[in-house]
Every structure is written in C-alpha cells, then in structure tokens.
Amino acid sequence: MSKQLTVIVAYADDKQEYLESFSLAEQSTVADALILAKQSPHFPTAATGHCAYAVFGQTVTLTTLLNDQDRVEILRPLKNNPKKVRRMRTQQAR
C-alpha cells in the first residue's frame, strides 16, 4: 500500500490568498500537485500559468519530489522592479 502525502498549494494575487490541501501518492512531484490544483474549482485558473514555483520559499522545478506537509508556492512575477521603486522614492524625497 502506498503512503499518501498531504500537500498544500498556495497562491496569492493582489486581493486574496489561496491555500488548498491535496492528497497525493508517495513519490509525487510539484507538477502532480499543480495538476490537482488546476482541477480544483476553488483555485484560480490564472494561478497555474506561472513559471516559478517554490517549496517553503526555496525555488524548485516541476520534477521536484514532494514530502508530506510540503507547501507548494506558485510565484508570480513582480509588478515593479524593486530597484526602480527605491530610486523613485529617493528622488521624490529630495
């Protein structure tokens, strides 16, 4: 009998944070968790189109094996370049 893993898939947009728990078979990958997230009616469809993923803040690939109680984070691109924003704030303060 194969062991089941419980994994949380997380995504945040500008207005809301989405967290959903999924049960996966042992030896499941990040890609497997994302397939289940895409099928969930409660998870935003826009969330699964991004190209960067992390497990507890550490960047991973789609082929990374998951452990029980991992949190797969779907990372979205930054809206503003942090260097540009700091530079603009500094110029406005002068």
Side-chain angles (χ1 to χ4, degrees):
M1 185 164 106
S2 77
K3 182 181 171 190
Q4 289 288 306
L5 305 176
T6 301
V7 175
I8 296 171
V9 178
Y11 174 76
D13 60 20
D14 292 338
K15 298 176 184 165
Q16 188 174 353
E17 181 180 282
Y18 301 90
L19 294 170
E20 191 160 349
S21 182
F22 298 99
S23 289
L24 296 157
E26 195 173 27
Q27 300 295 311
S28 292
T29 63
V30 170
D32 297 328
L34 293 174
I35 288 169
L36 288 179
K38 280 183 184 180
Q39 295 172 352
S40 171
H42 306 292
F43 214 79
T45 55
T48 54
H50 300 286
C51 60
Y53 308 98
V55 172
F56 292 116
Q58 298 295 315
T59 305
V60 296
T61 64
L62 291 173
T63 58
T64 301
L65 291 176
L66 296 171
N67 297 309
D68 193 33
Q69 302 301 316
D70 273 353
R71 182 183 68 229
V72 177
E73 301 154 358
I74 301 171
L75 308 175
R76 58 190 173 103
L78 294 174
K79 285 188 171 188
N80 297 314
N81 181 333
K83 285 183 181 180
K84 244 185 203 179
V85 171
R86 276 193 301 272
R87 197 174 298 127
M88 287 173 49
R89 260 191 259 145
T90 301
Q91 288 173 351
Q92 290 174 354
R94 291 181 185 180

